[in-house]
Amino acid sequence: DAGVIQSPRHEVTEMGQEVTLRCKPISGHDYLFWYRQTMMRGLELLIYFNNNVPIDDSGMPEDRFSAKMPNASFSTLKIQPSEPRDSAVYFCASSSQQGQKLFFGSGTQLSVL
Amino acid sequence: QQPVQSPQAVILREGEDAVINCSSSKALYSVHWYRQKHGEAPVFLMILLKGGEQKGHEKISASFNEKKQQSSLYLTASQLSYSGTYFCGDKAAGNKLTFGGGTRVLVKP
């Protein structure tokens, strides 16, 4: 299996622009998680899905952030409009069932200028 | 509320031992441990469930005391490859895994 695939690996954008991060989970995994990592706040859970349904989005910082999972093999995290404080590494992870280990993607390094 | 890890950083010589502690304010179902190398994604090490069990991964082991809501990770006879940042994650109800702030480990020759 190719593992969790995220794109792009790096994204540099200007403040105010829309940013879309993409994730393809491991085939057969029912859970998908979006995490954000910064030096100041560490690894924060933004939102997670079970069977394509958002279960807990309490970590989504603001209305500027939205996430979708239209099918079992694809999820997006969108920031509109982006701000410099959104600069971080965004990780997507998936797991096969509740309580089991997470497999992380390589992450997207986002820089908002 | 994220779990609290200590120490924040530790420097070891090859072959030395270290302990990383993780403390939660929640009643826990399980504790997870991950290691992240610089510039890479976190990688799963182990999960500990209720029952005070201990687990091992190479010469890395861990314990979980659910009454005290604490877990400890033991690095025994450390190797250069053990360098990285170690994260504990606690899981209460649901499937929400919340990570601690991390412990940076540097193993020197």
Side-chain angles (χ1 to χ4, degrees):
Chain A
D1 202 319
V4 177
I5 300 172
Q6 290 186 246
S7 64
R9 286 297 308 274
H10 303 275
E11 177 79 37
V12 181
T13 190
E14 292 186 343
M15 183 173 65
Q17 296 297 307
E18 178 179 296
V19 175
T20 299
L21 310 182
R22 297 173 176 79
C23 175
K24 176 179 167 58
I26 292 173
S27 177
H29 280 191
D30 298 326
Y31 289 86
L32 184 139
F33 304 79
W34 282 101
Y35 282 88
R36 177 173 69 176
Q37 186 172 35
T38 60
M39 287 294 293
M40 291 297 295
R41 302 174 71 92
L43 263 171
E44 302 174 272
L45 177 63
L46 300 177
I47 185 171
Y48 79 92
F49 295 83
N50 178 215
N51 291 324
N52 314 336
V53 176
I55 303 300
D56 188 331
D57 65 354
S58 59
M60 295 286 263
E62 299 167 34
D63 291 345
R64 299 184 296 107
F65 285 70
S66 62
K68 293 182 179 179
M69 192 163 185
N71 57 63
S73 59
F74 184 65
S75 177
T76 59
L77 178 68
K78 187 175 292 187
I79 308 172
Q80 167 64 20
S82 57
E83 296 182 4
R85 60 193 167 120
D86 301 331
S87 298
V89 179
Y90 290 80
F91 286 105
C92 174
S94 69
S95 70
S96 60
Q97 55 185 293
Q98 187 163 349
Q100 297 305 307
K101 66 181 181 180
L102 302 185
F103 293 82
F104 282 83
S106 299
T108 295
Q109 174 78 59
L110 174 65
S111 297
V112 183
L113 307 177
Chain B
Q1 196 83 5
Q2 64 178 177
V4 177
Q5 289 185 233
S6 63
Q8 289 187 317
V10 60
I11 299 175
L12 302 166
R13 291 286 180 189
E14 234 180 330
E16 291 182 340
D17 302 339
V19 179
I20 301 170
N21 297 304
C22 176
S23 183
S24 176
S25 60
K26 299 176 286 194
L28 303 176
Y29 290 114
S30 62
V31 174
H32 298 220
W33 286 96
Y34 287 76
R35 179 172 65 201
Q36 184 178 30
K37 303 271 187 180
H38 182 69
E40 299 180 6
V43 174
F44 171 81
L45 290 176
M46 65 190 80
I47 294 174
L48 296 105
L49 305 175
K50 281 185 173 183
E53 67 172 316
Q54 288 194 299
K55 277 199 169 182
H57 172 87
E58 301 170 341
K59 288 187 178 178
I60 300 173
S61 61
S63 62
F64 174 33
N65 185 326
E66 71 266 25
K67 286 186 179 178
K68 292 185 178 180
Q69 295 164 197
Q70 292 176 344
S71 178
S72 295
L73 188 73
Y74 307 94
L75 307 182
T76 305
S78 57
Q79 305 170 15
L80 296 176
S81 62
Y82 288 2
S83 293
T85 302
Y86 290 77
F87 293 95
C88 70
D90 65 10
K91 187 171 288 190
N95 204 28
K96 185 173 181 176
L97 185 61
T98 304
F99 287 101
T103 297
R104 296 181 68 177
V105 173
L106 176 61
V107 181
K108 292 185 173 182

